[in-house]
Amino acid sequence: MSAQKDRWVFSFFFLLFCASSIRMQGSARLLQELSPQEYFSSLQAGRASLAYFSHNVSPGAQPFLEQIENSAEALQDYGISVVKVNCPKEDVSRYCGEENALRKAYLFRGNMLIREFPTDALFDVDSIVANVLFALLFNEVKYVETLADLQNIENALKGRSNMVFAYVPATGTAEHRAVMEAAFVYGTVHQFVLTTEATLLKDTGNDESDVSSARLLFCHCQQATDLAQPCRRTAMGQTLTMLNIHRHLKLMGAPLVTEVAEDPEKVSTVHLQLGLPLVFILSQKETYEADRRTAEFVAWQLLGKAGVALLSRDLVDLNILLRSNVALKTPDEGEPVKYLVLEDTDEVITLVEDKNKVEQIQEDEEEIEEDEDEKENNNQDVQDDQVVEAVSRDKKRELPLEQILVLTEETFHSALLETARTVVLFYASWEAVSLAVLRSYTEVADHLKGTRGILLSRVNCWDWPGVCTKENVTQFPTMKIYEKGGRSVMYSGMWGTEELTSFIMLNRVSCPLRLATIDEAEGYLRGEFPPELSSYHHTSLLGVFSTATSEAREAFEEAGNLLSGHVMMGMYFEDDALALSRKYAVSPPALLLARSRGQSVEGIALSKESVQDMVQMIRYELLDVFPEITVQNLPRYLQLRKPFLIFFSDGDLGQMESKEMLKLAKERPQQAFVACWLNLKKTICLPVMHKKREPLELPHLHICLCSPFLRKKELSFDRAQRKKTPVGRGVLKAYFATMPSLPVLIWVNLHAGGHVFKFPSELSITEMNILSWLEKLKAGLEIPSSTLSEEDWKPPLPAYDFLQMMEMAVPETPLRTSHRHRDVPQQYPPESSGGDTGVQEESPQDSKAEKVGSPGRDLRGTAPRLAAREKQGKRHSEL
Amino acid sequence: CSSLLVATGTWVPNVVNFPGSEYVEGYETVSINPEDFAGQTVLILGRGNSAFETAENILGVTNFIHMVSRSRVRLSWATHYVGDLRAINNGLLDTYQLKSLDGLLEGDLEDLAIVKDKKGKLHITLRFYLENRNTSAGIDSITLPQDELDNFATRAPYDRVIRCLGWKFDFSIYNRSLGLMTGKGNKKKYPQIKPSYESKGTRGLFVIGTASHSVDFRKSAGGFIHGFRYTTRAVHRLLENRHHGVPWPSTVYPITQLTNSIIKRVNEASGLYQMFGILADIILLREFEYLEEYPVGVLAELEGQTGRKAPNGLFVVIMEYGRNFSGADKDVFYYNRAVGEAQHAWQSNFLHPVIYYYKRLPTEHEMRLRPPDWPLPRPDAVHHIVEDFLTDWTAPNAHILPLRRFLENCLSTDLRNFFAESCFLFAFTRQKLPPFCRQGYMRMQGLVGSERLRHHAVEAGLLEDYTLTDFLGDGPPDSHEGSQDHLLRDNAIPVHPLQHLVTAKDE
């Protein structure tokens, strides 16, 4: 035992020895060790060297010596050698003799001493490099302390050379080093000026910057002509690193405006190479001078953020719209150049800056994600499902469920027999969507409180899976209305309070409702009959049949069954049906469509149609001709699969616009598009427009009609209801970088191509203007202001890769089974052979299995990962 | 006939032949009336549930009970196998370990011999002594171990010896030509069958019930009523497909229901739970088709056996214990035996759902080469739902969220739920919609949500509140962003989720 231990200890020391000797050899190449004679005789004229004299290694100098060793490599890049001079004991010469001298390092150029540094100024590699270069570049980098000094230098440079002005809070920092390294490269091109005085920074107009961070300004003095004015300055936005300074100086060195005469797709400039966008100002011969001035103006604004090029359209044959005046090329490979029509230079600037902003946010985000990746697995465990999160945030609140009867497996069937209609919401207490619906359902219960003949109830399928399976509930939530007689209907509409309530109420009367007298029929068309439903529907449908036409009537009744709860349908087939049909100039079988309480009634002849066709027809007829699009009704119009012409309005429609738009919408009976409008603001009253058929042209009316539902329970309804569709703002923000001024007319083809066009704001909204604009769109003469993303919906975040984790854990295999693992393909988890039952199945002889777990693999684990693995090891060690 | 279902159980008692075995009573005939054992000293051969059950029954009235068996006792709470000693039967362990009354001994029964003395008492000796003795001499000439070793353990004479050595399948009525072979190793008491419960030798001959336990011997519950009621149903479904062209029952759901249907099943399905590792739910893609409780050993033959097609890959939902957790001598009570965090779910020890994802159906070759103790070959991805103390896997963040991410990444889609307002925004700003909006909102079944929920979603940074701009008048969009930032800062919630939702911006 002890012998073994000794051997182990020995080999450990042996390893250590090897390691340290290798390291000595490695650094010996950079850090020379010479005697004083050797050193002084080796000094060459013009070559700089940093020397440190020592008798022997005194303990205090040890850290310093380490740093100086480390900096040897960095200094070598600048042609500076680092030498440790070993003084013989008896030596009492200048450098070796004095006790004091040994606490210093000396910088020589040739054999001339340039500077001596106290060792405490050389505390790390950054400070060594910074201070040594600072001493050597004495002429290239001017150090200033007062504003006057700075101004003198600046004035002297005007018309001759540019100036790089850097502020660092202290010398010897990493920023200082970066500036010095940049000066080493660019010192002959630009004049470098350095300060540690924060006041100088304030006076250069950078008042918002805080003095704790270093700053760098590029002063354009070469072009400066006016001696009285300070040079134009461009601040560097990023932190001071060698790379960033290099990038900034390169950008400053690039021409302000590049003139190009080729296809923008092929153009490449410094900006694009450095990952910045390039803005093209499209110019013509006639406007060249003005365009050039614009380009320069924009270029100054965007200096350091984007490049600007002036493109003469006369020289390049571009297949773009004549109106386009700006193009944007991003550095991303493969992204096409975007052509835009912009109105002023500010838009150009916001275009670029917003882009930068977005990118910056994305970058930051990536960084954060990376950081978190190191620590944990980013935010996979943060809920990003809005419904689940919203429901779980609402979990602690007790729902007002007292109006809703809880049904169980035992009480379910008996409860159905008690009331004429029992509404049952099947939900699962763990399922977020059904819990969200349960919340709307409580609101429904509140609205319907006291309504006779309706019982609202619920079944939690988590507690009672049996009854849910029996009632054929395959997904959550499901709502069904059971009639006492045994018939039931399943709800298939929007899960909103309003829709649910109206469905339940409309279901109380049979669909279609048979009307007995002509008075009832008239009352029905006016929306007054049956009275209890008068507030739950806008549109009444009445089928008029002479008794003979039973076939159409049956189809109509079937359709009524299918549309039950969604549409108000009545039918009349008494003897005097003809009188009714004559009044509305139709011949039975016919449909009468009464919108907004009988203010307009149109007649539609019923041909022999299948039930499905009739349902389709009824659905289609119920659509408005110029609807206000809301969150709730959009899907109905999307099903037409036509392009949308949308009028985004901040508030109600103007008289003029609505008239023109309506004219436009009605013009074509078979419109090729859906003309609609969207109210971005809260609405109390909304004008309801009606689709009209030719024969029954009642005078068109704008009726100000509150949503019937609101009239009843206006105040108890939530805010979202009274706000119409503020989310439309999100739509506009997605279409345009900035929110356009309202109202705005948009053409968007959602189903083909996804191009978005904006009606020119300078044109007034008239039928003629819109039509001719649409013609231009069709002819491809307009350029889309944006195109909807075609991107697929990908997983928002990665999943835990358990397969990989299992593989990672292979080395963790308990020792006692490891021998068996030799022939087990390593990609399988270690536990696989842990069983001691001795039931060895066919041993996996597939040598073809990829050797994922090659011996070197586990060494790649990072420190935290190893630590984590140790933790796991503890948790799962065998006993 | 075309099919034969063998459900004859394992009724042939295991018998050991040794000198004196004629004095041994069998479990199948021994009295179950404790009074018959009053004051007696009893030796029980065997160490299974029946041996302990017998002991338990007479424990209170006997002088003492000894049990002899070849192998040591295996406790079912350590092995997670109900065929091993259940705690309800193990009262004798207490009287042995705590009161030193009764006892357990290990030894090979083949080496034993029993001799009866004149008083009718039964003495244990070794076969070795019997073979060497003078055959002509009487009972007194037989060497008893205590003659040489005076503290021999079973030196006390017994009144009765009871054999509780288990049962085996009756192979006697099957002709050789049927090829109904005995199982290998410790499964030799069962006929050899395929994981589809069909005999290896004869097509159409199925073994069901407890005799079918060779499929999952010492692994799952197929040898017991609470397990084989599910495997028998599986055989029924296989036969329905084979002989009547009735495919395996399945339900087709839209992809948006995938997460929910898995959560529902792993929480409610009894077949998965009892027949862990053996029966699995199979989910066939694209919209998806859900098949319940399929014998996973014949996964490769799925298409032929069920009449369902799996052209676009599949998920297999199965329940598993941690691979290294169960075992005869394992400490199943060690500290930190349970994993709490979803990200370490793969190290779960207690029974928990595991979901395997295959881009295509594994082949028979792959099934054969699967790692030992794995029910299935290496999948393209695997997900463990972290073990739960309540066996209730419905926690939104610990159970459902990681499962959703797994499914999303396998299917390369976004399975989040959205309020109607978000779908509205997507409908106008993207050419494609997430499945939830496609299946719900676009079919006029959108989730409108109450104002309070909307407010919560806005607070969480998962929904943008466009009504805010109204209060600010027609302020520039910047001011709106400002308010959003403010909202986010207040709640100290990272901005990322929102970013994911609003990447719709094309410009």
Side-chain angles (χ1 to χ4, degrees):
Chain A
M1 172 64 200
S2 79
Q4 202 178 5
K5 191 175 167 191
D6 286 349
R7 200 179 317 144
W8 187 83
V9 169
F10 170 76
S11 50
F12 177 74
F13 279 116
F14 179 72
L15 268 174
L16 240 168
F17 173 73
C18 289
S20 54
S21 59
I22 286 166
R23 200 165 137 236
M24 304 271 268
Q25 280 167 11
S27 53
R29 265 176 283 136
L30 296 171
L31 178 74
Q32 301 172 49
E33 289 198 45
L34 300 171
S35 69
Q37 291 85 353
E38 284 171 322
Y39 175 63
F40 287 109
S41 60
S42 72
L43 292 176
Q44 298 165 20
R47 259 188 81 85
S49 61
L50 183 68
Y52 173 74
F53 295 84
S54 78
H55 280 290
N56 44 20
V57 187
S58 58
Q62 194 69 45
F64 162 70
L65 210 61
E66 242 169 57
Q67 294 303 332
I68 212 160
E69 260 177 47
N70 292 340
S71 61
E73 192 180 351
L75 286 173
Q76 205 181 36
D77 294 342
Y78 300 100
I80 303 159
S81 49
V82 180
V83 183
K84 183 183 161 206
V85 183
N86 291 323
C87 294
K89 265 208 175 95
E90 63 285 4
D91 196 335
V92 287
S93 64
R94 153 117 207 255
Y95 298 107
C96 286
E98 294 169 41
E99 184 61 24
N100 235 358
L102 296 177
R103 300 206 182 282
K104 284 177 179 166
Y106 299 88
L107 181 67
F108 290 90
R109 180 182 275 143
N111 50 15
M112 197 170 73
L113 175 66
I114 297 207
R115 173 84 52 94
E116 45 190 68
F117 301 104
T119 53
D120 52 4
L122 306 181
F123 44 88
D124 65 359
V125 177
D126 284 337
S127 65
I128 294 170
V129 176
N131 280 314
V132 168
L133 288 178
F134 197 22
L136 286 175
L137 299 172
F138 183 73
N139 288 320
E140 285 86 348
V141 182
K142 293 258 194 308
Y143 181 78
V144 294
E145 283 181 332
T146 65
L147 199 60
D149 288 347
L150 181 64
Q151 276 162 354
N152 285 341
I153 296 171
E154 195 172 326
N155 283 337
L157 287 172
K158 276 181 186 159
R160 288 183 22 233
S161 158
N162 292 327
M163 178 172 90
V164 178
F165 173 59
Y167 159 76
V168 289
T171 57
T173 56
E175 290 89 5
H176 182 206
R177 176 183 170 181
V179 173
M180 296 321 301
E181 286 179 312
F184 192 89
V185 181
Y186 291 95
T188 52
V189 188
H190 309 300
Q191 177 65 55
F192 279 69
V193 178
L194 184 77
T195 189
T196 52
E197 300 295 321
T199 46
L200 291 195
L201 194 65
K202 287 230 173 73
D203 290 335
T204 57
N206 261 299
D207 8 77
E208 91 272 28
S209 63
D210 66 310
V211 294
S212 61
S213 62
R215 304 276 301 169
L216 187 134
L217 299 160
F218 189 89
C219 311
H220 306 265
C221 294
Q222 201 167 15
Q223 293 129 313
T225 42
D226 188 356
L227 283 172
Q229 288 287 321
C231 309
R232 218 188 251 268
R233 294 159 201 272
T234 311
M236 189 174 94
Q238 295 88 351
T239 51
L240 264 67
T241 64
M242 178 61 196
L243 211 65
N244 284 341
I245 298 174
H246 171 76
R247 188 165 170 265
H248 192 66
L249 294 181
K250 227 165 153 166
L251 287 172
M252 296 303 117
L256 191 61
V257 174
T258 323
E259 296 213 26
V260 291
E262 58 175 326
D263 185 354
E265 295 284 0
K266 291 175 191 140
V267 172
S268 178
T269 67
V270 181
H271 302 92
L272 289 170
Q273 288 151 16
L274 290 175
L276 292 176
L278 183 61
V279 175
F280 293 89
I281 305 292
L282 307 185
S283 166
Q284 282 151 303
K285 218 184 291 164
E286 297 79 21
T287 60
Y288 176 80
E289 276 311 312
D291 292 336
R292 164 117 216 146
R293 278 196 300 278
T294 311
E296 280 177 8
F297 175 77
V298 170
W300 276 115
Q301 308 287 314
L302 292 177
L303 199 59
K305 295 167 196 150
V308 176
L310 192 62
L311 176 71
S312 306
R313 299 175 68 130
D314 315 296
L315 301 175
V316 198
D317 184 24
L318 283 174
N319 186 22
I320 52 163
L321 200 79
L322 204 59
R323 284 176 53 228
S324 298
N325 50 13
V326 171
L328 180 71
K329 181 171 183 175
T330 60
D332 311 322
E333 237 8 79
E335 195 169 316
V337 175
K338 286 195 189 102
Y339 293 93
L340 308 156
V341 183
L342 298 181
E343 301 193 343
D344 59 33
T345 49
D346 283 352
E347 285 189 46
V348 183
I349 289 151
T350 37
L351 182 74
V352 171
E353 286 183 344
D354 273 4
K355 186 119 193 140
N356 280 346
K357 220 181 272 169
V358 169
E359 275 166 8
Q360 207 173 352
I361 289 166
Q362 280 167 353
E363 264 171 36
D364 289 351
E365 209 170 285
E366 275 161 28
E367 275 166 29
I368 290 166
E369 270 176 27
E370 276 165 24
D371 286 353
E372 286 181 2
D373 231 334
E374 298 280 277
K375 281 185 267 156
E376 285 290 56
N377 280 321
N378 50 41
N379 14 0
Q380 284 159 302
D381 47 357
V382 175
Q383 186 59 261
D384 53 359
D385 184 313
Q386 49 182 238
V387 180
V388 178
E389 183 63 20
V391 168
S392 65
R393 279 170 184 244
D394 200 36
K395 196 167 49 186
K396 293 242 170 99
R397 184 172 68 99
E398 204 176 321
L399 293 178
L401 291 165
E402 56 279 354
Q403 305 292 331
I404 302 168
L405 187 69
V406 181
L407 297 184
T408 68
E409 201 140 6
E410 285 89 48
T411 60
F412 183 76
H413 290 286
S414 56
L416 299 189
L417 299 173
E418 293 194 353
T419 325
R421 277 180 180 76
T422 310
V423 186
V424 187
L425 180 74
F426 297 92
Y427 70 105
S429 50
W430 54 268
E431 206 272 333
V433 175
S434 63
L435 289 181
V437 170
L438 184 63
R439 279 155 177 79
S440 300
Y441 194 58
T442 61
E443 292 174 1
V444 173
D446 190 44
H447 288 299
L448 297 182
K449 192 154 58 179
T451 311
R452 292 233 311 266
I454 292 180
L455 175 72
L456 294 195
S457 66
R458 61 192 167 106
V459 175
N460 183 355
C461 295
W462 174 240
D463 292 333
W464 308 103
V467 64
C468 297
T469 312
K470 255 182 244 149
E471 294 304 309
N472 200 21
V473 174
T474 54
Q475 49 179 279
F476 307 122
T478 296
M479 191 181 90
K480 283 184 169 186
I481 299 183
Y482 293 84
E483 279 174 33
K484 216 174 190 170
R487 202 180 72 101
S488 69
V489 274
M490 196 188 279
Y491 180 66
S492 64
M494 287 271 173
W495 294 107
T497 311
E498 191 183 351
E499 290 82 1
L500 287 167
T501 314
S502 134
F503 180 79
I504 293 168
M505 288 309 287
L506 290 186
N507 246 297
R508 296 176 74 195
V509 295
S510 55
C511 186
L513 176 70
R514 190 182 158 180
L515 301 166
T517 67
I518 204 143
D519 284 346
E520 271 184 13
E522 294 279 6
Y524 173 82
L525 285 176
R526 282 194 304 274
E528 291 160 8
F529 183 85
E532 68 266 30
L533 296 188
S534 59
S535 53
Y536 290 96
H537 61 107
H538 313 241
T539 309
S540 311
L541 265 168
L542 180 62
V544 184
F545 306 94
S546 56
T547 35
T549 54
S550 63
E551 202 176 306
R553 206 188 77 207
E554 274 163 23
F556 185 73
E557 280 180 275
E558 273 295 307
N561 276 331
L562 291 173
L563 293 169
S564 165
H566 297 286
V567 182
M568 186 67 197
M569 282 166 74
M571 59 178 177
Y572 189 68
F573 52 91
E574 299 305 320
D575 295 342
D576 50 358
L578 269 175
L580 190 69
S581 54
R582 222 173 285 129
K583 181 178 174 192
Y584 294 105
V586 288
S587 63
L591 258 186
L592 293 177
L593 198 66
R595 292 178 202 272
S596 48
R597 293 149 211 281
Q599 297 283 4
S600 76
V601 177
E602 43 185 285
I604 302 152
L606 275 181
S607 50
K608 271 185 196 162
E609 277 170 303
S610 72
V611 176
Q612 268 315 312
D613 288 344
M614 197 175 289
V615 168
Q616 281 271 296
M617 189 267 279
I618 290 171
R619 286 219 168 107
Y620 181 76
E621 291 300 334
L622 286 172
L623 298 179
D624 280 334
V625 71
F626 178 52
E628 183 201 348
I629 289 294
T630 62
V631 169
Q632 277 90 338
N633 73 9
L634 173 69
R636 272 184 247 156
Y637 293 92
L638 279 175
Q639 280 179 345
L640 300 173
R641 301 197 64 78
K642 288 175 183 166
F644 275 63
L645 180 66
I646 320 165
F647 185 78
F648 286 85
S649 164
D650 188 23
D652 288 346
L653 276 185
Q655 279 279 335
M656 206 270 279
E657 285 125 350
S658 65
K659 207 169 101 198
E660 293 293 327
M661 289 294 291
L662 194 67
K663 259 202 289 183
L664 182 79
K666 280 199 300 182
E667 204 80 337
R668 286 128 247 271
Q670 295 297 317
Q671 301 102 322
F673 57 88
V674 178
C676 57
W677 70 286
L678 223 148
N679 190 346
L680 301 178
K681 216 178 182 175
K682 73 174 198 173
T683 317
I684 302 296
C685 287
L686 56 146
V688 179
M689 245 66 61
H690 310 132
K691 188 175 168 181
K692 293 245 177 63
R693 286 273 162 159
E694 294 77 84
L696 269 173
E697 198 67 276
L698 288 181
H700 177 74
L701 291 167
H702 284 262
I703 308 139
C704 194
L705 174 75
C706 291
S707 159
F709 200 75
L710 289 183
R711 200 161 54 177
K712 191 178 171 211
K713 294 262 181 182
E714 200 165 5
L715 292 174
S716 67
F717 239 69
D718 51 37
R719 209 182 62 204
Q721 208 54 47
R722 277 176 283 127
K723 299 264 170 189
K724 287 320 274 189
T725 315
V727 63
R729 288 176 190 275
V731 176
L732 289 179
K733 273 173 78 185
Y735 289 167
F736 309 100
T738 53
M739 184 82 179
S741 58
L742 295 170
V744 60
L745 186 64
I746 303 285
W747 171 274
V748 54
N749 194 341
L750 298 168
H751 304 286
H755 294 307
V756 177
F757 298 91
K758 180 182 163 213
F759 184 71
S761 51
E762 64 271 16
L763 293 181
S764 62
I765 292 183
T766 63
E767 192 191 354
M768 284 315 294
N769 280 346
I770 296 170
L771 281 178
S772 67
W773 177 62
L774 291 181
E775 283 307 315
K776 274 204 280 181
L777 292 189
K778 254 176 225 145
L781 294 171
E782 293 279 332
I783 286 207
S785 24
S786 76
T787 303
L788 303 190
S789 156
E790 251 190 301
E791 216 184 312
D792 276 319
W793 284 83
K794 293 289 177 202
L797 284 172
Y800 298 126
D801 191 350
F802 289 139
L803 214 51
Q804 198 204 348
M805 291 183 205
M806 290 176 179
E807 280 159 13
M808 291 295 294
V810 168
E812 210 183 278
T813 313
L815 273 175
R816 73 186 173 85
T817 53
S818 65
H819 62 278
R820 270 210 246 154
H821 266 283
R822 294 278 149 72
D823 38 17
V824 173
Q826 299 229 343
Q827 73 263 45
Y828 301 123
E831 289 95 330
S832 55
S833 63
D836 47 0
T837 50
V839 189
Q840 189 124 26
E841 301 209 10
E842 302 90 317
S843 74
Q845 60 275 63
D846 52 342
S847 50
K848 58 147 187 152
E850 332 94 86
K851 287 275 183 279
V852 179
S854 62
R857 183 187 163 86
D858 50 294
L859 295 177
R860 268 191 274 146
T862 57
R865 203 172 283 151
L866 281 169
R869 209 185 293 160
E870 240 167 58
K871 204 166 69 191
Q872 288 162 11
K874 251 179 241 155
R875 294 154 59 89
H876 285 264
S877 58
E878 285 193 278
L879 295 125
Chain B
C1 59
S2 59
S3 36
L4 173 66
L5 300 181
V6 176
T8 52
T10 52
W11 67 271
V12 181
N14 280 320
V15 180
V16 185
N17 275 313
F18 52 83
S21 58
E22 64 272 20
Y23 305 123
V24 173
E25 296 169 85
Y27 174 75
E28 62 279 7
T29 52
V30 75
S31 160
I32 53 164
N33 183 3
E35 287 167 23
D36 296 344
F37 298 86
Q40 294 182 348
T41 307
V42 180
L43 178 70
I44 296 177
L45 309 180
R47 190 154 299 165
N49 274 310
S50 50
F52 275 92
E53 194 181 61
T54 308
E56 188 79 15
N57 187 35
I58 58 175
L59 197 59
V61 295
T62 52
N63 181 23
F64 55 77
I65 303 171
H66 285 166
M67 294 176 102
V68 182
S69 156
R70 185 167 39 203
S71 54
R72 43 169 302 181
V73 66
R74 275 189 301 267
L75 301 167
S76 64
W77 45 254
T79 59
H80 298 112
Y81 172 61
V82 284
D84 290 328
L85 179 57
R86 301 284 308 273
I88 46 165
N89 293 330
N90 70 6
L92 187 127
L93 294 183
D94 269 17
T95 53
Y96 170 42
Q97 295 282 4
L98 302 181
K99 301 186 180 161
S100 306
L101 291 173
D102 308 308
L104 269 63
L105 294 155
E106 281 79 38
D108 197 336
L109 298 183
E110 305 267 339
D111 297 337
L112 282 188
I114 293 176
V115 287
K116 199 173 193 173
D117 65 15
K118 288 161 195 155
K119 291 180 210 152
K121 298 268 183 192
L122 301 169
H123 294 265
I124 302 294
T125 182
L126 303 175
R127 183 190 281 255
F128 166 78
Y129 293 126
L130 262 68
E131 279 161 2
N132 291 346
R133 75 175 175 127
N134 186 346
T135 41
S136 61
I139 175 92
D140 297 333
S141 70
I142 299 171
T143 322
L144 294 176
Q146 54 265 40
D147 299 341
E148 290 176 359
L149 201 65
D150 56 9
N151 65 347
F152 179 62
T154 54
R155 59 189 180 272
Y158 295 95
D159 294 305
R160 300 173 89 152
V161 179
I162 305 170
R163 158 176 56 72
C164 303
L165 295 171
W167 316 87
K168 60 188 176 199
F169 183 75
D170 181 7
F171 287 91
S172 62
I173 63 164
Y174 303 96
N175 189 285
R176 265 184 97 77
S177 63
L178 281 173
L180 197 65
M181 311 283 282
T182 63
K184 289 175 186 153
N186 57 6
K187 295 185 206 167
K188 63 172 179 284
K189 56 182 171 176
Y190 298 112
Q192 226 181 67
I193 51 173
K194 293 194 258 186
S196 58
Y197 301 93
E198 191 167 15
S199 152
K200 281 194 175 167
T202 312
R203 187 178 153 83
L205 193 161
F206 285 87
V207 179
I208 54 176
T210 191
S212 68
H213 197 25
S214 68
V215 171
D216 58 341
F217 184 61
R218 288 214 180 137
K219 282 183 195 153
S220 198
F224 313 95
I225 176 65
H226 58 262
F228 63 64
R229 58 186 176 202
Y230 303 104
T231 59
T232 306
R233 184 163 65 186
V235 171
H236 163 72
R237 287 171 174 166
L238 293 174
L239 289 173
E240 281 275 288
N241 177 55
R242 183 185 290 181
H243 294 294
H244 306 286
V246 179
W248 196 281
S250 75
T251 323
V252 177
Y253 297 98
I255 207 75
T256 44
Q257 291 297 314
L258 184 57
T259 318
N260 278 354
S261 40
I262 292 177
I263 290 292
K264 184 173 154 61
R265 282 289 295 168
V266 299
N267 280 295
E268 291 176 359
S270 41
L272 290 188
Y273 183 79
Q274 300 289 6
M275 288 306 298
F276 60 88
I278 301 299
L279 294 185
D281 283 0
I282 311 286
I283 299 164
L284 307 175
L285 300 168
R286 257 311 152 171
E287 283 303 283
F288 70 93
E289 203 172 357
Y290 204 108
L291 277 64
E292 293 179 0
E293 295 171 16
Y294 179 76
V296 87
V298 282
L299 184 64
E301 301 159 28
L302 178 96
E303 297 195 341
Q305 295 279 17
T306 63
R308 306 278 176 192
K309 298 280 169 270
N312 293 311
L314 64 153
F315 290 103
V316 179
V317 183
I318 198 165
M319 308 281 275
E320 288 178 13
Y321 280 100
R323 294 232 158 72
N324 220 11
F325 186 51
S326 314
D329 46 358
K330 293 286 168 63
D331 175 5
V332 285
F333 299 108
Y334 67 90
Y335 277 109
N336 296 325
R337 60 191 170 278
V339 173
E341 281 170 72
Q343 56 179 338
H344 300 131
W346 68 279
Q347 293 166 318
S348 294
N349 280 321
F350 291 91
L351 198 60
H352 64 281
V354 184
I355 296 115
Y356 292 77
Y357 171 63
Y358 296 95
K359 287 183 181 142
R360 48 165 193 80
L361 206 56
T363 62
E364 274 181 54
H365 182 71
E366 285 164 335
M367 285 298 288
R368 259 202 315 281
L369 298 184
R370 68 185 191 266
D373 280 9
W374 274 55
L376 289 164
R378 180 188 163 84
D380 291 298
V382 73
H383 182 71
H384 290 250
I385 301 182
V386 70
E387 59 191 335
D388 192 80
F389 194 57
L390 302 175
T391 3
D392 172 349
W393 289 284
T394 58
N397 287 316
H399 301 140
I400 303 177
L401 176 66
L403 173 65
R404 192 195 85 211
R405 295 215 191 285
F406 167 74
L407 299 172
E408 280 173 338
N409 280 280
C410 291
L411 301 170
S412 182
T413 186
D414 186 332
L415 295 178
R416 283 179 294 177
N417 304 307
F418 294 97
F419 286 115
E421 187 180 310
S422 297
C423 294
F424 177 90
L425 183 67
F426 299 148
F428 270 121
T429 55
R430 315 260 306 213
Q431 294 199 41
K432 293 181 177 152
L433 290 182
F436 186 81
C437 294
R438 244 181 8 238
Q439 297 291 341
Y441 182 69
M442 294 302 279
R443 296 180 176 184
M444 286 175 277
Q445 296 171 14
L447 179 65
V448 177
S450 69
E451 177 62 11
R452 198 185 294 266
L453 289 183
R454 263 199 49 185
H455 183 68
H456 284 307
V458 169
E459 253 180 14
L462 294 167
L463 189 70
E464 211 161 332
D465 190 358
Y466 293 99
T467 55
L468 275 181
T469 39
D470 273 13
F471 299 127
L472 304 170
D474 273 343
D478 293 0
S479 70
H480 172 78
E481 272 171 27
S483 63
Q484 185 78 25
D485 286 351
H486 178 69
L487 256 171
L488 294 173
R489 250 201 320 279
D490 271 0
N491 293 285
I493 283 185
V495 70
H496 322 285
L498 189 67
Q499 282 296 325
H500 291 295
L501 278 177
V502 295
T503 44
K505 280 181 190 162
D506 191 49
E507 274 290 316

